[in-house]
Amino acid sequence: MPRSLRRLVHLVLFCPLSKGLQSRLPAVKVKYLLVAWFGILVASWVIYMQYSSYSELCRGHVCTILICDHYRRGIISGSVCKSLCEEKTLSLQRCLSTSPTHQIYSAVWKEKAVLVKCGIEESMRGENGPDSPLRHDNSLYDKPTRGTSMDEFRAMLHSFLKDSVGEQSSLSTLVTRVISLADVNGDGKVSLAEAKSVWALLQINEFVLMVALQDKEHAPHLLGFCGDLYVTEHVAHSALFRLEVPGWLQPVFPEALGVALNQWLAPAWPRRARITIGLLEFVEEVFHGVYGSFYICDASPRRVGYNAKYDFKMADLQSVASEATVKGFLRGRTCEANADCTYGRDCTATCDRLARQCNVEVVQPNLAKVCALLQDFLLFGAPSDLREDLEKQLRTCVTLSGLASQMEVHHSLVLNNLKTLLWKKISNTKYS
């Protein structure tokens, strides 16, 4: 705790009003003064907590230093390296990090609002103290090695992507897309620095999904990279609800107040209907896509957002996982209950208690999880002539369960019914 803050706490806690002063002041004024002191104490604690949290989570300057050091040494390459390290036209601004190892910053690049993301890991704090710097994993840029041929690199990519998204007939197209992305200078060749950079990026789940879903309207677009630092488009509203109460404030913040404030701050209902249609389209896109199926493994309001035109956009893809990844995690996993068979936050399969092993099929589909989220977002303020049907459709949607392979027709029917219901209400209006 800073010295000045310690002195303030000492004065507040251990220096009460003298009896002489109390006798000269009315009791009411003494109460006001005590309340003011308590307010100062609380405010000081909040400021200290915010400062500690910021210094812990926001170390983007370290990330920039490390990335630019690798770039100047010729180890890595990328389409934003020059802007970041030489021209200084890409600079980190507001810190949005929620983890010290996954740095996220807002920035402006080429007159566009963007997000800059970079992964760094902590050194051993037990020896170096809380202010010790962060570092890159030393093995991050070990592959491919010097002397690797283009054919060998292509085979490496094919094998890696097969593990990531599964065996797909379109896998060779995805490999070609990655190689084209790696060829930063467009000379038709991939240098060692370019190959090392794209290989490091492929270790990040969100990056793989952005490449696989780059032609999808509702997925965030990749704009550039340098080493394993990458730049994505900025989503104006990065959460479905505008108010998110910090974890440390939740015990004293009434949940009902948070719900009421979010309803008051929410966009007009037709705009919420437009956002919902986009979200349903995204669920449709990833159900059976060109590169297989993908699961939304954290269907929470802070993972989905929308832009300034009220078009739905995934705020990030960290919560999305390929079917192959989820099944690979579940296959052979020992369990005692269904909770042991959960990938991410809510991609849950059943536990075979006799064999004490997880089954590999996720029980609750994306659509059911999304509809549970939409009940809070879509029902309040809904038009009276639509509310009953809408409530019925959402209730049916939430109860969807079973293996995806066995319910494809039912899944599509429920999704299309819900989308049609909303579209009929806002079509031919300014909200469409």
Side-chain angles (χ1 to χ4, degrees):
M1 184 182 293
R3 185 177 179 184
S4 58
L5 188 56
R6 287 201 304 269
R7 290 184 63 188
L8 176 62
V9 172
H10 183 272
L11 286 171
V12 172
L13 295 179
F14 302 111
C15 296
L17 293 171
S18 66
K19 291 182 179 179
L21 183 58
Q22 287 185 26
S23 64
R24 289 195 295 270
L25 288 174
V28 175
K29 289 186 178 180
V30 173
K31 289 179 181 178
Y32 285 157
L33 191 57
L34 288 173
V35 169
W37 277 9
F38 180 73
I40 292 171
L41 177 63
V42 171
S44 301
W45 177 74
V46 169
I47 292 170
Y48 172 70
M49 290 296 292
Q50 290 293 323
Y51 171 79
S52 300
S53 175
Y54 185 89
S55 61
E56 174 75 15
L57 294 176
C58 302
R59 300 188 176 187
H61 62 288
V62 178
C63 185
T64 303
I65 291 170
L66 292 169
I67 286 288
C68 291
D69 176 62
H70 282 91
Y71 170 63
R72 294 186 184 102
R73 288 160 56 195
I75 297 172
I76 61 173
S77 181
S79 55
V80 303
C81 290
K82 193 172 182 180
S83 299
L84 181 70
C85 304
E86 295 179 12
E87 299 171 347
K88 306 295 183 183
T89 54
L90 174 63
S91 57
L92 310 187
Q93 295 179 348
R94 184 185 170 202
C95 174
L96 305 172
S97 307
T98 56
S99 165
T101 59
H102 187 64
Q103 296 292 294
I104 305 176
Y105 278 79
S106 64
V108 175
W109 185 51
K110 295 182 178 179
E111 299 182 351
K112 285 184 178 180
V114 298
L115 290 181
V116 179
K117 301 184 179 184
C118 178
I120 42 184
E121 65 173 23
E122 295 179 272
S123 54
M124 297 301 292
R125 290 194 167 184
E127 299 175 3
N128 301 321
D131 297 322
S132 59
L134 300 177
R135 59 181 173 82
H136 266 79
D137 184 352
N138 292 330
S139 62
L140 189 63
Y141 303 119
D142 278 359
K143 292 181 180 180
T145 57
R146 187 174 298 279
T148 302
S149 69
M150 198 60 211
D151 287 341
E152 289 171 329
F153 183 53
R154 185 181 288 273
M156 284 174 60
L157 292 175
H158 190 280
S159 177
F160 180 85
L161 292 171
K162 180 181 175 182
D163 291 338
S164 297
V165 301
E167 183 64 78
Q168 309 292 334
S169 58
S170 56
L171 201 57
S172 58
T173 304
L174 186 58
V175 171
T176 302
R177 182 180 290 184
V178 172
I179 290 175
S180 177
L181 186 68
D183 182 16
V184 176
N185 55 14
D187 62 356
K189 302 175 183 177
V190 178
S191 68
L192 184 61
E194 290 171 340
K196 284 180 179 291
S197 297
V198 81
W199 184 258
L201 284 165
L202 287 173
Q203 313 311 307
I204 304 170
N205 177 63
E206 184 182 32
F207 180 83
V208 176
L209 292 172
M210 277 194 293
V211 175
L213 302 174
Q214 71 173 20
D215 55 346
K216 303 301 182 185
E217 179 185 356
H218 304 296
H221 295 150
L222 176 71
L223 302 178
F225 64 92
C226 181
D228 71 323
L229 175 148
Y230 58 104
V231 179
T232 72
E233 66 175 317
H234 183 269
V235 179
H237 303 280
S238 59
L240 205 55
F241 300 118
R242 296 189 182 185
L243 178 66
E244 186 175 352
V245 181
W248 54 271
L249 193 57
Q250 287 176 359
V252 296
F253 194 91
E255 184 178 353
L257 178 60
V259 172
L261 285 173
N262 272 319
Q263 291 181 355
W264 182 68
L265 294 169
W269 186 88
R271 289 195 169 118
R272 280 183 275 135
R274 179 186 174 93
I275 294 165
T276 298
I277 290 171
L279 176 53
L280 294 173
E281 287 173 348
F282 179 74
V283 170
E284 202 169 18
E285 288 171 352
V286 300
F287 185 55
H288 276 313
V290 178
Y291 302 113
S293 295
F294 297 88
Y295 296 132
I296 301 173
C297 293
D298 183 2
S300 62
R302 60 190 175 86
R303 294 292 189 184
V304 296
Y306 53 95
N307 62 19
K309 295 181 179 179
Y310 301 95
D311 294 319
F312 168 78
K313 280 280 186 181
M314 285 294 289
D316 64 64
L317 293 173
Q318 295 180 67
S319 63
V320 180
S322 68
E323 183 179 24
T325 298
V326 175
K327 286 186 175 181
F329 172 83
L330 294 171
R331 189 173 289 111
R333 189 174 184 84
T334 57
C335 62
E336 298 291 339
N338 290 352
D340 300 325
C341 303
T342 302
Y343 179 91
R345 180 173 171 264
D346 52 21
C347 281
T348 303
T350 55
C351 174
D352 185 338
R353 288 180 173 82
L354 292 177
R356 297 184 64 190
Q357 285 201 337
C358 295
N359 295 311
V360 297
E361 293 282 357
V362 173
V363 174
Q364 190 180 34
N366 291 333
L367 186 58
K369 290 183 280 190
V370 163
C371 286
L373 180 65
L374 290 173
Q375 284 182 316
D376 290 336
F377 181 70
L378 199 57
L379 285 178
F380 70 89
S384 57
D385 61 333
L386 184 74
R387 185 179 176 89
E388 186 177 346
D389 281 346
L390 183 58
E391 199 167 357
K392 181 180 177 181
Q393 292 281 359
L394 286 173
R395 191 163 53 245
T396 301
C397 179
V398 167
T399 58
L400 284 173
S401 62
L403 308 184
S405 57
Q406 299 172 3
M407 56 168 294
E408 185 169 350
V409 175
H410 191 201
H411 178 283
S412 298
L413 183 64
V414 172
L415 190 149
N416 287 327
N417 285 346
L418 185 55
K419 197 165 66 169
T420 301
L421 184 68
L422 296 172
W423 184 248
K424 280 183 178 179
K425 193 65 181 177
I426 67 169
S427 62
N428 301 320
T429 70
K430 65 178 182 178
Y431 300 105
S432 62

